[in-house]
Each structure stands twice: as C-alpha cells, then as structure tokens.
Amino acid sequence: MQLVLNGKKMTCPCDHLEDLKAAYGSGQEITIVNGFATTENLALKEGDEIYFIPKDRLPPKEALEGMMCSRHTPKVHQKVSAGRVAICGLGGLGSNAAVYLARTGVGHLHLIDFDTVDASNLNRQSYMVRDLGQRKTDALARQIADINPFIDVRTDFVRLTEDNVPTILKDDQVICEAFDNPDAKTMLVHTVLEQCPDKYIVSASGMAGYGDSNAIETKKITSHFYICGDQTRNAKPGRGLMAPRVAICAGHEANLILKLLVDVL
C-alpha cells in the first residue's frame, strides 16, 4: 500500500504500525498517524500519513500543521491559520490572549505595546524573569516562537492614538483591545468603530480580584463590537488584578476571536 512517512510517499510492506516502527523508527519517538499521536498498534490503511518524531525535537512544519488540522478539521484550521489578529496592549489580558491564539494556530498575530516588562507584571502576565527590562513586544514574540515558530508575528512598539490606529491596524481583521487604561480603551474602541467599520473589535472590562468566575461573560454590543468581563469589578486598592480571573477574561477574548475567524469572516 502507499503511505506518506515523514513527509515522503512510499510503498509500505507492513500491515501494522508496530511493524513500520520496527523498520523505520528508533523506538524513542512519538508516533503521529493522520494528525493524532498514538501508542496503539494500528492497522495501516492506504494513504495514511505517519510521522516518527523524536520527543526532544520540533516536528517539521507539515507535521505540526497536520496535527492542528486533524484536531480542528480542515475547514476550521484553514480559517484559523489565515486569521489576522491585532493584540493591542500586552499586559495580563493581551499577553495571555496572544498565547492562547498562538497555541490554537492563528497564522498572523500583530503585537502592539509601548511598555517594557517589569517585576510587577509577573503576577498575571505571560512573561518570565528573563524578560525583565525587555520590550513586551519582543518578549512575547520570542515566547510565541517557542510555542509555534511557523506563526507570522509582527510587532509595533508604539502608543496607539486616534491618528495612527487606522494605519497601524489596516491589515488586521480582528482587534483585541487589552489596555489597562480606561481612556485608552475608549479611544481604541471608538476609533476602530468610526474609522475602521469593517473590522471587529473585542474589548474587556471588569476582571479584577478573585472569585465570581461565572460573572465574566461575553456580550455583543453591536455587529462589530463585543465586550468580555463583568463590566463592574475594576481594579482598586484591595481588589487588584490576579492571574486566574484575568486569564479567564483573556480566554473569553481569545475564544470569541476564534469564533469570529471561523464563523463570521
């Protein structure tokens, strides 16, 4: 039968996976069959795609794409991998949302911030001690490259304003608003809705403290504008921004962005 082994077509003399591993594997790798990792001795079928990948190495691009595609289904993965998303603000919301989108395979991520990483960020943002003093755009881009080096990442170390938003965001389909500052949030939402009416914007408000996980919701405000959060629990003394609840809200933003990429755009 004809198989594809490690990206190359071959005529297979074996009937079962274990026989193929004995002939072509080392015994120390993970086995990917049609996009799924398996330890079973599966019966081989015509056209099966099989990769033997050492556990300490990154799979080749086609193998990683195949795994993502099999999990998402081809049509869904095609839309996700073609998606263009801007993350505006790379703090607790933005850095976590960007990582979730990268792990899901969004093909084009645009990271925008004008700040550097400091020790006060480590309690809730997706940075490490080694990132201290680095631009958030650079630190997060490196992290995404460690997750999936095949994602196209663009960075802008800049403060967004009413004047530059239309130019900087011109190539992005969905805008993730993830600023800490209320005035900056308002500016971005209003500017995108007024000057970039074809784009979708996903904003967030109210995710401070702990508890009340189910109070964080996703609400549709207009045809192109959504808000995630509880819209009431803003940060203040005694109710700071804590990782679990911030991450829940970031997850809402990322989840909605994926829905827009797959079901709307």
Side-chain angles (χ1 to χ4, degrees):
M1 72 183 77
Q2 291 291 315
L3 300 177
V4 178
L5 178 61
N6 294 332
K8 297 180 179 180
K9 292 183 179 180
M10 64 170 287
T11 300
C12 178
C14 308
D15 294 324
H16 286 78
L17 188 58
E18 288 298 328
D19 298 326
L20 190 68
K21 288 176 68 176
Y24 297 98
S26 68
Q28 301 298 318
E29 63 275 290
I30 58 172
T31 302
I32 309 297
V33 178
N34 299 326
F36 286 89
T38 184
T39 58
E40 298 181 36
N41 185 22
L42 301 175
L44 299 175
K45 304 185 298 297
E46 187 79 19
D48 278 347
E49 293 189 38
I50 300 162
Y51 285 89
F52 296 141
I53 302 170
K55 294 182 178 180
D56 60 348
R57 297 183 198 172
L58 177 73
K61 182 178 181 180
E62 59 270 21
L64 189 61
E65 285 290 309
M67 286 187 281
M68 301 288 279
C69 190
S70 68
R71 283 159 170 76
H72 298 158
T73 72
K75 183 179 291 187
V76 170
H77 180 66
Q78 182 179 20
K79 291 183 175 181
V80 170
S81 61
R84 295 181 173 274
V85 179
I87 313 293
C88 301
L90 304 180
L93 288 170
S95 64
N96 284 299
V99 166
Y100 300 152
L101 294 171
R103 291 195 185 280
T104 313
V106 173
H108 308 273
L109 293 176
H110 187 183
L111 309 180
I112 305 168
D113 204 304
F114 59 90
D115 200 4
T116 57
V117 181
D118 65 61
S120 71
N121 304 146
L122 300 180
N123 78 315
R124 68 195 184 283
Q125 302 182 17
S126 191
Y127 301 108
M128 312 298 173
V129 171
R130 65 174 176 269
D131 298 322
L132 292 175
Q134 301 296 308
R135 292 182 175 186
K136 288 185 177 180
T137 48
D138 294 341
L140 193 58
R142 286 194 298 270
Q143 188 175 152
I144 290 172
D146 284 340
I147 294 169
N148 184 340
F150 307 119
I151 291 175
D152 170 43
V153 177
R154 174 187 167 195
T155 64
D156 273 306
F157 187 72
V158 65
R159 185 192 294 268
L160 290 175
T161 67
E162 291 182 25
D163 294 330
N164 65 21
V165 160
T167 300
I168 291 175
L169 302 182
K170 63 183 176 65
D171 296 325
D172 303 306
Q173 298 169 293
V174 183
I175 314 303
C176 178
E177 181 281 306
F179 290 141
D180 295 331
N181 183 283
D183 292 336
K185 287 177 176 287
T186 301
M187 179 280 298
L188 182 60
V189 170
H190 286 174
T191 303
V192 170
L193 292 178
E194 292 172 4
Q195 300 190 45
C196 313
D198 59 324
K199 301 184 186 300
Y200 290 82
I201 183 162
V202 179
S203 186
S205 175
M207 75 294 295
Y210 56 89
D212 297 326
S213 297
N214 293 333
I216 295 178
E217 299 176 330
T218 298
K219 294 184 178 180
K220 185 176 183 178
I221 308 303
T222 71
S223 63
H224 284 60
F225 175 36
Y226 298 77
I227 293 181
C228 304
D230 64 19
Q231 301 185 51
T232 59
R233 291 177 64 87
N234 295 317
K236 66 179 184 180
R239 191 172 71 199
L241 296 168
M242 303 175 76
R245 208 158 187 272
V246 170
I248 291 170
C249 193
H252 271 255
E253 289 197 284
N255 191 48
L256 175 59
I257 288 168
L258 292 172
K259 179 175 176 58
L260 292 172
L261 292 177
V262 174
D263 294 341
V264 178
L265 291 166

